[in-house]
Amino acid sequence: MELLKAKTKLLLPLVAFFASLICAASCSSDSDDDGGGGASAGLSVDVTEVIFWGAYEAQYIKVMSGKPWKVADYPVWLSISKTSDNGDGYIAVSATLNSTSQMRTGTMTITTDDESVEIRLIQGTPIKVSPDVFEMSPYGNTKTVKIDAIGDWTVENVPEWITVSAMGGSGSEELQVTADNNVVGTKRTAEIEIHQQYGRKVFTVTQEGMEAFTVTPNEVIVLNDGIAFDYNYGSETYGFYCEVFSAADVVEASEEELKTILRKQGIVRNSKDVVSYVCNCQPATDYYICTMAVDKNGNECHVERTPVRTASLLNDRSPKTEVKDISMTYKRLKCSFMMNSYANSYRSFVYCSSSYTSVFSKPDIYFAWEIKHNKYSYYFTGNKNGVVYDIPETSKYYLIVTWSADASGNMSDVIVRATNTSSSAKPHVPSVLRHTNMANYNMSDMDNGNVRIAEGFDVVE
């Protein structure tokens, strides 16, 4: 029993000794692990220098401290969001307008009861740019920008589509800013910087896309031997040039070559009534409608190239509606319509005039457009007998025209024309691009006073 007591007395001091070691180790580990979001042990900041590029632009300083701290000193031209805090925090700082001719500097001091840190503050001289926001024309132009600064400056962040007259200067100078044509088609923006060592000013340039300065085909109608179309006009477009080329010719031609050819065709004034057509094309062949817009100052945009393919030659498989039993009784024209097995519906139209040439010299593509858009054309879905048309008393000649569609609604590659004279045969028309005016549903060729007829269409003989 005595022996047990003696052993117990010896063990108790050892247990106490090891317990104290464990406690010390635990306390040491707890004090070293300060990553749980608590306050920092000492005083520090995340920046030691702040540069103010302009006035009233806030910047942020992070203060890290395990104690309460305060801002002990800062210059009068500095605005701060807080002057003291307890533990980690942020200070928002901004500079007032530097109305002097010199760069200004200062120091902000942050202290605790036993530590302090200093942050150097720098504000450059003011830079003025006038105008600092402006818009360029879609087809490119030049603007003058006035720079007012003290000392040397440079121009930075200039995109590829903008050219400036100088990449730097000194004091007050004028800068010429030139934009290229915006052939991208969408609005684009550039923020160009006038930069000094401790100062900068950004001016913004925007440019609308060329869709505001373009003319492109709107609705296009094709037969196996002709193409007809009207136009979409951009808001900046005043007039345009147009010609139709084979696809092979367009692929091989440069932009400037196409412009040179287009300029020879004569300018066409914008009008919702203008329709252009070309005949004697090859069936199932690729062409390009090339257009070039012009604004009211004579500036030209790039050449728009719109692909179009003529219809395939279906021959006996073409949907057709024949005109039968034609008779005329005192200006009342009477006839019947008979569809072939490929036709499911058709449109009919009577073209009449006091001029023989006006009636019988028009190509099929001319009448295809007329049939589709004239308010006096008829639409039928079956064979018809005894259809009557009233003919104006002044008209000496007439032509009945039909254009059929198949069961899927696809228009035929040909139209059918008929009259009670021997002139119903298809005429030979020169292979040139012609522009017509649809005003008042009168599709007569425009005279040279309004538009010059194109001089040639090289692909078609």
Side-chain angles (χ1 to χ4, degrees):
M1 188 67 177
E2 293 295 330
L3 181 60
L4 179 60
K5 289 180 180 180
K7 289 181 178 180
T8 302
K9 290 178 179 180
L10 289 173
L11 286 172
L12 287 174
L14 291 172
V15 171
F17 173 74
F18 285 115
S20 65
L21 289 177
I22 292 170
C23 181
S26 175
C27 291
S28 175
S29 175
D30 291 342
S31 64
D32 289 343
D33 185 12
D34 194 29
S40 304
L43 175 64
S44 63
V45 290
D46 64 339
V47 293
T48 57
E49 182 179 83
V50 177
I51 299 174
F52 297 97
W53 300 105
Y56 311 109
E57 296 178 359
Q59 300 195 52
Y60 296 89
I61 301 170
K62 184 178 181 180
V63 180
M64 295 158 283
S65 175
K67 301 177 180 181
W69 53 267
K70 65 179 181 179
V71 180
D73 185 38
Y74 60 95
V76 294
W77 48 267
L78 187 73
S79 297
I80 62 176
S81 60
K82 64 173 67 173
T83 57
S84 62
D85 205 343
N86 187 10
D88 297 351
Y90 286 89
I91 306 175
V93 295
S94 62
T96 58
L97 179 66
N98 182 4
S99 57
T100 71
S101 60
Q102 302 293 325
M103 178 183 72
R104 57 187 183 185
T105 61
T107 302
M108 184 170 70
T109 304
I110 301 174
T111 65
T112 63
D113 57 357
D114 58 353
E115 292 182 278
S116 66
V117 293
E118 289 187 350
I119 302 169
R120 187 181 181 218
L121 307 171
I122 303 172
Q123 185 183 28
T125 54
I127 302 173
K128 295 181 181 179
V129 178
S130 179
D132 59 0
V133 177
F134 55 89
E135 184 172 353
M136 292 293 200
S137 168
Y139 48 85
N141 62 331
T142 299
K143 297 274 189 175
T144 299
V145 177
K146 187 176 181 181
I147 311 296
D148 287 320
I150 298 170
D152 297 338
W153 46 266
T154 58
V155 184
E156 300 182 2
N157 197 34
V158 180
E160 291 183 356
W161 55 276
I162 287 181
T163 303
V164 293
S165 57
M167 293 303 295
S170 182
S172 296
E173 293 188 22
E174 288 187 345
L175 194 67
Q176 304 300 315
V177 181
T178 303
D180 295 335
N181 292 347
N182 187 358
V183 296
V184 176
T186 56
K187 184 176 181 178
R188 54 189 179 185
T189 301
E191 293 186 343
I192 300 174
E193 183 178 302
I194 306 300
H195 189 273
Q196 292 182 313
Q197 182 181 6
Y198 296 116
R200 68 182 174 191
K201 177 67 176 179
V202 172
F203 64 92
T204 303
V205 182
T206 60
Q207 186 183 39
E208 292 289 345
M210 293 289 284
E211 68 272 7
F213 182 48
T214 55
V215 56
T216 55
N218 177 33
E219 180 183 4
V220 180
I221 289 177
V222 295
L223 298 177
N224 63 43
D225 64 349
I227 304 166
F229 50 94
D230 59 358
Y231 298 91
N232 279 319
Y233 304 106
S235 59
E236 299 292 325
T237 302
Y238 179 77
F240 65 95
Y241 300 94
C242 180
E243 183 57 286
V244 179
F245 300 95
S246 71
D249 287 344
V250 169
V251 169
E252 295 175 358
S254 67
E255 176 82 0
E256 193 53 43
E257 287 173 335
L258 288 175
K259 284 188 172 184
T260 300
I261 297 172
L262 288 172
R263 293 186 190 109
K264 295 179 180 180
Q265 310 312 319
I267 191 169
V268 184
R269 281 291 307 275
N270 290 9
S271 172
K272 62 182 178 60
D273 298 316
V274 172
V275 176
S276 300
Y277 66 94
V278 65
C279 58
N280 292 347
C281 301
Q282 297 298 315
T285 302
D286 294 321
Y287 296 92
Y288 275 91
I289 302 169
C290 293
T291 52
M292 179 172 66
V294 181
D295 74 354
K296 62 183 179 181
N297 296 315
N299 298 298
E300 299 172 347
C301 79
H302 69 288
V303 177
E304 293 281 352
R305 312 178 190 199
T306 304
V308 59
R309 185 176 177 85
T310 51
S312 299
L313 186 62
L314 299 179
N315 295 318
D316 293 338
R317 295 180 291 112
S318 297
K320 294 179 182 179
T321 300
E322 300 295 336
V323 184
K324 305 287 187 180
D325 306 324
I326 300 174
S327 63
M328 174 76 79
T329 304
Y330 191 67
K331 302 305 178 183
R332 289 178 66 86
L333 178 64
K334 186 176 181 181
C335 66
S336 301
F337 297 110
M338 182 70 66
M339 296 187 298
N340 68 6
S341 60
Y342 298 100
N344 187 69
S345 62
Y346 57 96
R347 295 177 182 271
S348 72
F349 176 74
V350 174
Y351 191 85
C352 51
S353 173
S354 59
S355 168
Y356 178 92
T357 303
S358 178
V359 172
F360 299 113
S361 66
K362 306 300 183 184
D364 285 356
I365 190 64
Y366 185 107
F367 289 116
W369 186 277
E370 187 83 87
I371 289 172
K372 186 169 182 182
H373 295 91
N374 197 296
K375 65 180 180 180
Y376 298 111
S377 66
Y378 289 173
Y379 174 78
F380 299 115
T381 56
N383 297 327
K384 294 292 180 180
N385 295 316
V387 178
V388 176
Y389 295 91
D390 290 328
I391 304 299
E393 291 186 6
T394 56
S395 298
K396 296 180 179 180
Y397 308 98
Y398 65 87
L399 191 67
I400 306 170
V401 184
T402 64
W403 192 18
S404 304
D406 63 17
S408 299
N410 300 311
M411 300 305 295
S412 177
D413 63 311
V414 295
I415 68 168
V416 174
R417 56 173 71 204
T419 184
N420 62 350
T421 72
S422 60
S423 300
S424 61
K426 192 171 180 178
H428 175 74
V429 182
S431 303
V432 296
L433 178 68
R434 294 180 181 270
H435 306 282
T436 66
N437 197 309
M438 282 287 290
N440 301 319
Y441 302 97
N442 179 22
M443 200 172 175
S444 58
D445 285 345
M446 298 170 66
D447 295 329
N448 290 356
N450 297 317
V451 58
R452 210 181 81 198
I453 294 175
E455 292 182 349
F457 185 40
D458 297 336
V459 184
V460 183
E461 296 298 333

